[in-house]
Amino acid sequence: MSTPLNPSSILQTAFGFWGSKVLLTAVEVGLFTKLADRRLTGTDLGRELHFHSRANPDFFDALVAMKFLDRDGDGWEAKY
């Protein structure tokens, strides 16, 4: 009888890479520099970084979830 396959190590590695890639992308596009001395809405920040509007909430909120950004408020008026 064989041991059932467990993909947890593969998933853990993949998810670890995703988090690293989000942080690396934020650094590469200068996100933290843009926010160094001010707070911007996701729309304004995305515009300054030349992001597609659909990427804004997911990308910025992923950084909030990973505790690399803070967010004040909810929705389109939230500031990072």
Side-chain angles (χ1 to χ4, degrees):
M1 195 170 200
S2 64
T3 306
L5 297 176
N6 183 347
S8 64
S9 63
I10 294 170
L11 293 174
Q12 183 177 7
T13 300
F15 292 142
F17 171 76
W18 289 344
S20 297
K21 186 62 178 169
V22 169
L23 178 58
L24 178 62
T25 300
V27 171
E28 286 179 341
V29 300
L31 182 137
F32 301 110
T33 302
K34 293 279 184 195
L35 293 174
D37 58 355
R38 60 190 174 152
R39 298 184 73 75
L40 296 170
T41 65
T43 301
D44 292 336
L45 184 55
R47 188 177 302 119
E48 288 199 19
L49 296 172
H50 307 287
F51 282 6
H52 190 281
S53 61
R54 289 187 300 182
N56 293 348
D58 292 337
F59 183 70
F60 302 139
D61 287 343
L63 289 163
V64 170
M66 294 173 4
K67 301 192 185 310
F68 291 117
L69 276 184
D70 289 327
R71 182 184 67 213
D72 292 329
D74 292 313
W76 294 106
E77 297 302 314
K79 290 196 174 186
Y80 297 91

